[in-house]
Amino acid sequence: PLSYTKGVCEVKNVEGNWISIDKTQKDSIVYGKVFTLYIKHNLSDTNNNSYAYIIKPLTTPEEMQSYITTANIEIIQNTPECQAVRHKSLDILECIFYKAGEYTLGTVTISVDKPCAILFKHHPDGNPELHVSDPGQNGEDITVEITDKCTPKRYYGKIEYKFDGYYGLYSMNFLNGNV
């Protein structure tokens, strides 16, 4: 269960290189003020505890505590391989895969062949809506397969990486057929 805790918020001057987080940027040192928000973890913790966060802007501690107890947000997996969160009322599943693998929620299984971030919504008409990103900016195609035990359909798609000289873009085409 989630509980309220205080974070650290700071704005300070830093120097860095945008290319370290965005490979489309120039390789040069920049200086400026950076806003940082984080929670200090107990790094000496040997119990393999996991942490989860919900950030809700413009919320008092009392409002946040109420939100936590009544939220439509369900943290359903938090492992080194995959983090999965479901928004119950919108029926949207968000998964971060840190390596190739699969995640199953109910009758639906999502399989990926590379690390990626996924937003998935299964519509009443049976057609899935899927958004995929490659936060690691590896520039490789990502294969995604969605199966639903309740239907004979299998959705298979390859996210093709396209570099337009500035941004890496992904497109998704589903091919559905019988299993």
Side-chain angles (χ1 to χ4, degrees):
L2 293 175
S3 62
Y4 176 80
T5 189
K6 290 185 179 182
V8 177
C9 175
E10 59 189 18
V11 177
K12 63 182 179 179
N13 287 315
V14 298
E15 85 173 43
N17 190 329
W18 282 113
I19 202 167
S20 67
I21 61 168
D22 183 351
K23 295 176 184 175
T24 66
Q25 298 297 311
K26 293 180 183 176
D27 188 7
S28 59
I29 301 295
V30 293
Y31 305 89
K33 288 185 177 179
V34 173
F35 166 82
T36 306
L37 178 65
Y38 62 94
I39 295 174
K40 290 185 180 180
H41 298 287
N42 180 2
L43 298 179
S44 63
D45 181 3
T46 58
N47 294 324
N48 278 337
N49 286 330
S50 61
Y51 301 89
Y53 312 96
I54 295 176
I55 298 173
K56 191 167 185 325
L58 304 173
T59 305
T60 67
E62 294 78 21
E63 290 169 331
M64 192 65 197
Q65 190 61 48
S66 173
Y67 181 80
I68 289 169
T69 58
T70 60
N72 274 315
I73 298 169
E74 176 184 18
I75 298 167
I76 48 184
Q77 183 165 327
N78 191 8
T79 67
E81 295 80 29
C82 177
Q83 293 175 310
V85 176
R86 180 172 169 253
H87 191 289
K88 294 183 228 177
S89 64
L90 297 176
D91 196 21
I92 294 175
L93 175 66
E94 303 170 50
C95 294
I96 306 291
F97 290 94
Y98 292 97
K99 62 182 187 177
E102 66 180 34
Y103 179 76
T104 301
L105 178 63
T107 62
V108 176
T109 299
I110 300 173
S111 302
V112 300
D113 71 339
K114 300 211 177 42
C116 60
I118 289 181
L119 286 175
F120 172 78
K121 180 168 181 63
H122 200 274
H123 290 282
D125 65 5
N127 292 316
E129 179 180 343
L130 182 70
H131 303 273
V132 180
S133 69
D134 174 14
Q137 301 177 29
N138 295 314
E140 299 174 348
D141 293 350
I142 300 171
T143 301
V144 179
E145 183 175 349
I146 300 169
T147 55
D148 188 339
K149 292 178 188 173
C150 288
T151 70
K153 290 185 178 179
R154 175 179 69 102
Y155 298 90
Y156 174 84
K158 181 174 274 193
I159 312 299
E160 296 175 350
Y161 182 80
K162 296 177 182 161
F163 189 69
D164 68 1
Y166 190 69
Y167 291 107
L169 305 173
Y170 286 94
S171 63
M172 178 60 158
N173 293 316
F174 273 121
L175 306 171
N176 64 25
N178 295 323
V179 176

